[in-house]
């Protein structure tokens, strides 16, 4: 089927935005790429100069296209982009479409949906799962939400960057599912770290334990995807502890807004905060194991 859109604005060119830009370009879209860091814009353009155009001032994107995607860290940055590019309503193109693919607060997302409605801008959220490799390979899981007809319209864009594209409901529902996913992955990482420090200190080879548990009821993304990196001692992000801490706080704030107790998540939030205070915030989230290694003194690494 012929594409509806040919030009797309992309704001936020970090770990995930870079992969989005590459795959949009690969699928024939002209990408107008912006970031607060010029070096990130230059890197994006260098990846495919034929299809990717660097834009220094994000407001200039609206001179070229009526479709903008954000892939920035959190709610305040999404709001910052909105306040900047949609400030002058006379410069908003007709039939403007705004897609936020960052992982942000479901509560803030409902508020953004209202702001967009007041400005007659079509709004769809599409937070993702699948990490850097999913972004680079166009294989992300996308937890989309908003008005169903709006989701149907932007589906071709999601198809260019994702493999599992799931409509989760009205605005906020996609972010809520993403928050649940992040809560569970954080809890699993902590549980795995606790268990592996215990058995490594006892004297079990952690590679053997990983191969067993991958086929047992303790299997999870943490053991399948992250434990091989821990065993190699590779803590380069990936998904930073700082960003995962942000997601855990999104969960505790969301629950707080409904007066819902989250006992385990609040404990895990304290452990992630401790990891940040120890200086591990810029490392991959699997570096949470270092907390336990510091406590127990046994390094969970593959034997030579
Ligand atoms: P990142 O820190 O690598 O990139 C974010 C980029 O946004 C940076 O380049 C930053 O300069 C830019 N930015 C911030 N504010 C901006 C603004 N106002 N205008 C323009 N650019 C701005 O983060 P990331 O890992 O790419 O994550 C982006 C989002 O995706 C986050 O919400 C994160 O939680 C989510 N996410 C990340 C992963 C992962 O594995 N890294 C996986 C799933 C979801």
């Amino acid at each position: 089927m012929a594409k509806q859109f040919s030009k797309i604005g992309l704001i936020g060119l970090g770990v995930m935005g870079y992969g989005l830009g590459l795959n949009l370009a690969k699928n024939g879209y002209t990408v107008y790429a912006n970031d607060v860091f010029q070096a990130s814009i230059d890197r994006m353009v260098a990846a495919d100069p034929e299809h990717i155009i660097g834009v220094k001032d994000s407001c200039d994107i609206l001179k070229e296209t009526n479709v903008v995607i954000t892939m920035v860290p959190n709610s305040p940055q999404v709001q910052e982009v909105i306040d900047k590019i949609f400030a002058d309503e006379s410069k908003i193109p007709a039939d403007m479409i705004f897609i936020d693919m960052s992982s942000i607060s479901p509560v803030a997302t409902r508020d953004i949906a209202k702001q967009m409605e007041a400005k007659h801008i079509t709004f769809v959220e599409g937070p993702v799962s699948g990490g850097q490799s999913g972004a680079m390979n166009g294989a992300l899981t996308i937890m989309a939400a908003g008005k169903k007809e709006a989701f149907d319209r932007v589906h071709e864009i999601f198809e260019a960057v994702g493999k599992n594209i799931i409509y989760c409901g009205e605005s906020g529902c996609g972010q809520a599912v993403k928050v649940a996913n992040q809560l569970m992955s954080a809890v699993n990482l902590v549980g795995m770290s606790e268990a592996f420090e215990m058995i490594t200190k006892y004297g079990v080879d952690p590679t053997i334990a990983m191969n067993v548990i991958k086929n047992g009821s303790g299997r999870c993304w943490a053991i399948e995807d992250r434990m091989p990196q821990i065993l190699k001692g590779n803590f380069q992000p990936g998904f930073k502890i700082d960003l995962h801490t942000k997601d855990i706080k999104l969960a505790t704030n969301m629950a707080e807004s409904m007066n819902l107790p989250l006992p385990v998540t609040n404990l895990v939030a304290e452990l992630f905060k401790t990891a940040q205070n120890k200086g591990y915030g810029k490392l991959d989230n699997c570096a949470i194991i270092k907390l336990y290694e510091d406590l127990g003194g046994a390094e969970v690494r593959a034997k030579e």
Side-chain angles (χ1 to χ4, degrees):
M1 213 162 73
K3 285 197 171 72
Q4 268 189 84
F5 307 106
S6 58
K7 301 171 172 182
I8 297 176
L10 176 63
I11 301 180
L13 310 172
V15 171
M16 300 302 280
Y18 181 79
L20 291 186
L22 275 186
N23 282 291
L24 289 169
K26 209 193 266 179
N27 280 273
Y29 296 102
T30 302
V31 180
Y32 293 86
N34 168 265
D35 195 284
V36 284
F37 291 118
Q38 184 61 41
S40 303
I41 300 178
D42 295 343
R43 181 182 73 136
M44 188 78 256
V45 174
D48 187 345
E50 196 188 326
H51 294 103
I52 304 176
I53 295 160
V55 183
K56 200 173 167 47
D57 179 348
S58 54
C59 294
D60 289 340
I61 294 175
L62 301 195
K63 293 178 187 160
E64 306 291 344
T65 174
N66 64 330
V67 184
V68 169
I69 299 175
T70 40
M71 190 49 128
V72 293
N74 199 1
S75 326
Q77 289 80 33
V78 176
Q79 190 62 54
E80 198 178 296
V81 170
I82 289 171
D83 291 345
K84 190 165 180 224
I85 67 174
F86 300 137
D88 184 346
E89 294 204 15
S90 70
K91 296 205 169 121
I92 302 176
D95 198 14
M96 181 74 213
I97 299 171
F98 177 54
I99 306 170
D100 178 34
M101 299 191 73
S102 329
S103 308
I104 73 165
S105 155
V107 180
T109 295
R110 289 220 160 130
D111 180 56
I112 288 169
K114 281 196 196 123
Q115 294 176 44
M116 295 300 98
E117 199 167 357
K119 289 182 194 291
H120 309 288
I121 295 170
T122 299
F123 172 59
V124 179
E125 78 213 50
V128 302
S129 187
Q132 186 173 28
S133 65
M136 293 299 288
N137 298 325
L140 292 166
T141 292
I142 303 178
M143 292 152 265
K147 297 231 161 28
K148 179 68 168 57
E149 55 277 19
F151 164 74
D152 290 339
R153 274 194 75 194
V154 304
H155 201 273
E156 65 167 60
I157 297 173
F158 286 153
E159 269 180 74
V161 296
K163 243 192 197 139
N164 302 307
I165 303 155
I166 299 141
Y167 177 68
C168 299
E170 289 296 316
S171 289
C173 292
Q175 295 290 359
V177 175
K178 173 67 184 170
V179 166
N181 183 70
Q182 297 308 93
L183 177 167
M184 290 175 65
S185 65
V187 170
N188 283 333
L189 270 171
V190 168
M192 177 182 77
S193 300
E194 221 163 88
F196 271 72
E197 180 61 19
M198 178 182 72
I199 54 172
T200 307
K201 195 173 167 83
Y202 182 77
V204 175
D205 179 340
T207 305
I208 294 174
M210 175 184 75
N211 291 332
V212 173
I213 298 172
K214 267 187 346 193
N215 297 300
S217 58
R219 73 183 174 276
C220 55
W221 161 87
I223 199 149
E224 287 172 351
D225 195 88
R226 292 294 87 197
M227 185 47 77
Q229 300 308 318
I230 293 173
L231 293 176
K232 282 187 216 155
N234 175 18
F235 299 109
Q236 288 315 303
F239 188 55
K240 299 180 197 96
I241 283 192
D242 280 344
L243 280 175
H244 212 159
T245 308
K246 175 263 300 184
D247 289 344
I248 300 163
K249 280 190 193 142
L250 292 178
T252 53
N253 290 343
M254 184 183 169
E256 193 58 40
S257 75
M258 298 181 283
N259 199 28
L260 173 72
L262 291 184
V264 173
T265 310
N266 275 289
L267 181 58
V268 167
E270 293 302 312
L271 289 169
F272 272 72
K273 206 191 293 170
T274 308
Q276 284 184 309
N277 285 333
K278 279 178 154 280
Y280 303 152
K282 304 281 175 254
L283 299 180
D284 190 81
N285 56 2
C286 69
I288 207 76
I289 192 107
K290 283 173 169 283
L291 281 187
Y292 286 92
E293 292 175 348
D294 293 347
L295 288 173
E299 280 207 328
V300 180
R301 298 289 178 279
K303 295 201 166 146
E304 295 294 301

